[in-house]
Amino acid sequence: AEMSPCRIVPVGQGNLVQPKLPLLKVLWAAGARGETFTLKEVMHYLGQYIILKQLYDKQQQHMVHCGDDELGLLLGIQSFSVKDPSPLYDMLRKNLTTTAA
Ligand SMILES: C[C@@H](c1ccc(Cl)cc1)n1cnc(-c2ccccc2)c1-c1c(C(=O)NCCN2CCN(C3CCCCC3)CC2)[nH]c2cc(Cl)ccc12
């Protein structure tokens, strides 16, 4: 089921969010360009980051082990399951600001 995280931050018309620098660096490491994104793009690049840095468990691919990574510092946890995105939403609430656009 497609996660609809649109309730994380009150999004304006442009639906654009501005990640704070620590999150922005993670998105840039995953190939993102610029400083404002849609929520969908933020989720896409975070997924790419996890794959690129091999943070997911090869046996249980829904488990993400980020304890030794920037992502873990952002989330404040060692591991999480993609089936329980609540720690992710908490992090996004703290690290995304909405743009006026
Ligand atoms: C539904 C979606 C999701 C999206 C948001 C949330 Cl809060 C939970 C879950 N999802 C389902 N599994 C993943 C996933 C699992 C392991 C490694 C990478 C991604 C994702 C995540 C995506 C994504 O954009 N997903 C596209 C399709 N995924 C299918 C799984 N694919 C697997 C391919 C084999 C290797 C493991 C990943 C990658 C592309 N973005 C994310 C960002 C984070 Cl912080 C955490 C997880 C994801």
Side-chain angles (χ1 to χ4, degrees):
E2 185 58 38
M3 306 279 170
S4 63
C6 291
R7 291 178 308 283
I8 300 171
V9 289
V11 285
Q13 296 75 12
N15 278 358
L16 290 181
V17 291
Q18 190 144 6
K20 290 180 182 165
L21 195 56
L23 175 57
L24 197 52
K25 288 182 174 171
V26 167
L27 301 178
W28 285 342
R33 297 275 174 277
E35 297 182 351
T36 55
F37 305 93
T38 62
L39 274 175
K40 195 174 172 63
E41 286 169 325
V42 172
M43 298 316 270
H44 167 74
Y45 285 115
L46 283 175
Q48 290 302 312
Y49 180 85
I50 291 166
I51 295 171
L52 282 173
K53 299 204 70 180
Q54 302 280 308
L55 300 179
Y56 65 93
D57 188 306
K58 302 302 174 292
Q59 268 61 47
Q60 291 188 309
Q61 294 186 342
H62 67 92
M63 284 307 296
V64 177
H65 305 297
C66 49
D68 305 330
D69 190 275
E70 295 276 310
L71 185 59
L73 293 176
L74 268 175
L75 291 166
I77 51 175
Q78 303 286 325
S79 303
F80 68 95
S81 164
V82 304
K83 296 184 182 358
D84 170 18
S86 45
L88 185 67
Y89 290 162
D90 294 343
M91 181 275 285
L92 290 178
R93 263 188 221 98
K94 293 175 196 143
N95 288 278
L96 290 180
T97 53
T98 54
T99 60

